[in-house]
Amino acid sequence: GQDLGVEPFRWTQRKAMSRESRGSLGRGALVALLFAVTGPALAEDGTGTVQCYNEALGTVQETLAGDCKGRVVGEDQANEIRKNRRDYVQRVLTEPSNNKLEGRHLAGLGSGFFVAEDGSVVTSHHVVDGCAAVSIAPTFGEMILASAVVSDMENDLALLRSGVVPPAVAPLADPDDVNFLGSGFVVGYPNRGLVAVQPILSAVEILQQESQTPLGPGIVIRGDVRQGNSGGPLLDSGGSVVGIVFSKVNSVNVYKVTGELVRYIGFAVPTKIIARFLAANDVAYRAGERRPPQPEDRILNDARPYIAQIGCWN
């Protein structure tokens, strides 16, 4: 998911005054919505932020010093590792059959999912914003290029036309059903430093639905939401889509500005907005009936046929 801008700070200040928000999220989780780019690299107590290199996974990320499970590296080395990873991802995703991508470079990756038998795919607008070409890499068949992109910038949604017939489409929960708080899942291609050849399922806690956040109505979730999850589905405990992941907390920068250790908070666009967007574009999406809670392996097996990795090329 993308990182939020500075406006969430004003919003969280207002929410912190709300008895409802204090009772459900608490001050720590609300402060986590703040994102800022500047701040001291290290706190006086030595618990600040570092560039952490995990050699086993091939990942490097700025993280809190106490959370580093690998080797601390300098900025130049961290940037070189990231560049090598981007080059590797491009080699993996570029296939000889995709002649239209020759001479282009991979600018970013996200997640998406098939919502109709005609091959319509939904993702986040910011995943495909400004892209010269958009690739769709499903878990079946070969990577293809989207033939058309329709965006709803206000709600951070995008519709991709693929022209392929997917083996399955995602079931959208009833837009008026709000009884989905509690256990849930996100599915997609989170950025963990390596190319994910299969979608990854992560268990999350669905905390609450807000009628107004800095980016409009949203569902607040607690869990391991990362860049690359943007555009992927948020599922309830039975496997129905209740939202689309669109942002995450930048815990490092929250710590730099506030000194508070707040982790694992993200947002998702609710189904009501998704359904309205699809209906406005004549997409015959599948409305699923709520199922009782399912085991994680069943959730992932059901989701795998309709999940896709979305690539932005320039």
Side-chain angles (χ1 to χ4, degrees):
Q2 65 178 337
D3 291 314
L4 294 176
V6 294
E7 171 58 24
F9 182 53
R10 302 185 184 93
W11 181 76
T12 54
Q13 285 181 314
R14 294 193 296 269
K15 293 301 293 181
M17 299 301 293
S18 163
R19 182 177 303 171
E20 293 181 3
S21 65
R22 285 200 303 270
S24 54
L25 286 180
R27 179 174 181 271
L30 288 170
V31 170
L33 304 181
L34 168 64
F35 167 72
V37 208
T38 59
L42 289 174
E44 290 183 1
D45 60 4
T47 61
T49 61
V50 297
Q51 296 290 341
C52 183
Y53 177 39
N54 187 321
E55 296 181 73
L57 296 178
T59 64
V60 62
Q61 60 180 344
E62 185 180 24
T63 185
L64 298 172
D67 290 345
C68 182
K69 305 302 181 184
R71 177 164 57 89
V72 176
V73 298
E75 289 288 343
D76 291 343
Q77 187 175 358
N79 290 334
E80 182 65 22
I81 294 170
R82 293 188 181 100
K83 179 182 181 300
N84 290 339
R85 177 189 176 276
R86 286 194 299 269
D87 292 344
Y88 175 67
V89 171
Q90 180 158 343
R91 288 197 302 273
V92 169
L93 290 184
T94 304
E95 300 179 5
S97 59
N98 288 294
N99 296 326
K100 292 182 180 180
L101 295 180
E102 288 186 6
R104 300 194 183 279
H105 69 276
L106 183 63
L109 287 167
S111 303
F113 54 99
F114 289 90
V115 289
E117 300 290 349
D118 65 0
S120 294
V121 175
V122 69
T123 184
S124 294
H125 164 71
H126 74 265
V127 170
V128 299
D129 185 27
C131 306
V134 176
S135 63
I136 303 170
T139 56
F140 60 92
E142 298 181 347
M143 182 177 72
I144 55 178
L145 295 182
S147 57
V149 178
V150 181
S151 287
D152 176 357
M153 291 183 287
E154 181 180 356
N155 294 302
D156 197 14
L157 294 173
L159 178 66
L160 313 179
R161 304 291 190 180
S162 73
V164 302
V165 178
V169 296
L172 268 63
D174 184 345
D176 296 319
D177 188 353
V178 296
N179 298 314
F180 54 78
L181 302 184
S183 299
F185 304 92
V186 294
V187 191
Y189 296 85
N191 184 347
R192 295 182 175 178
L194 297 175
V195 179
V197 295
Q198 294 292 333
I200 294 174
L201 178 80
S202 299
V204 298
E205 182 183 2
I206 305 174
L207 298 176
Q208 67 184 57
Q209 187 165 206
E210 289 285 353
S211 60
Q212 189 61 41
T213 75
L215 296 180
I219 300 171
V220 186
I221 58 179
R222 178 184 289 120
D224 189 10
V225 178
R226 305 188 181 208
Q227 289 185 346
N229 278 126
S230 286
L234 169 65
L235 308 176
D236 65 13
S237 60
S240 295
V241 177
V242 296
I244 294 179
V245 176
F246 71 84
S247 67
K248 69 178 183 66
V249 171
N250 189 311
S251 299
V252 168
N253 283 293
V254 169
Y255 177 79
K256 287 179 179 179
V257 173
T258 69
E260 296 197 29
L261 299 178
V262 184
R263 302 177 176 91
Y264 308 128
I265 298 294
F267 279 97
V269 180
T271 307
K272 179 172 289 189
I273 295 177
I274 302 168
R276 189 165 62 231
F277 172 61
L278 296 177
N281 288 281
D282 299 320
V283 176
Y285 63 89
R286 174 188 167 194
E289 297 181 359
R290 290 203 70 186
R291 298 191 303 177
Q294 302 293 314
E296 290 192 20
D297 57 349
R298 174 66 183 275
I299 296 287
L300 181 57
N301 286 337
D302 289 348
R304 186 177 286 113
Y306 61 70
I307 294 291
Q309 189 171 44
I310 310 303
C312 173
W313 301 79
N314 286 318

